Amino acid sequence: LELASETLSMDGELTLSVELSNSGERSGTEVVQLYVRDLVGSVTRPVLELKGFQRVELGPSESQKVEFTLDVDDLAFHTGNGRWEAEPGAFDVFVGTSSAELQSARFTLE
């Protein structure tokens, strides 16, 4: 899992990518899932929050780079003060083919 940056500004975007490979001898389809965890929030946040997914078809022994883009709207929630907004701080991002098989990285919302 690669992040374009370790920080995301309130008015920016963060691109992340992962290489997906079909090691089999037949074509196949896989769903790559993107999850986010807010490490410290004004209210209790979910451990994993699904923020995106992509269905990818790969031929035998084929590889493909899969990219996702996050922005501040993807990180917003009803905060402790009752507003829909994103709070600055550390976030973990996870990408995988299921919630049980994930690669992770960390970034900071500034």
Side-chain angles (χ1 to χ4, degrees), residues 77-92:
F77 62 100
H78 285 101
T79 60
N81 60 19
R83 287 185 280 194
W84 182 259
E85 61 187 345
E87 296 175 333
F91 290 80
D92 283 338

Side-chain angles (χ1 to χ4, degrees), residues 35-97:
Y35 295 90
V36 172
R37 178 187 319 169
D38 187 348
L39 296 178
V40 179
S42 59
V43 296
T44 303
R45 307 286 295 129
V47 174
L48 291 177
E49 214 173 345
L50 181 65
K51 293 298 181 176
F53 61 91
Q54 291 185 39
R55 184 182 189 114
V56 180
E57 294 185 25
L58 295 174
S61 302
E62 183 181 5
S63 295
Q64 182 177 332
K65 186 176 186 178
V66 180
E67 289 188 348
F68 291 95
T69 302
L70 288 173
D71 62 25
V72 71
D73 291 336
D74 295 313
L75 306 176
F77 62 100
H78 285 101
T79 60
N81 60 19
R83 287 185 280 194
W84 182 259
E85 61 187 345
E87 296 175 333
F91 290 80
D92 283 338
V93 63
F94 304 88
V95 175
T97 56

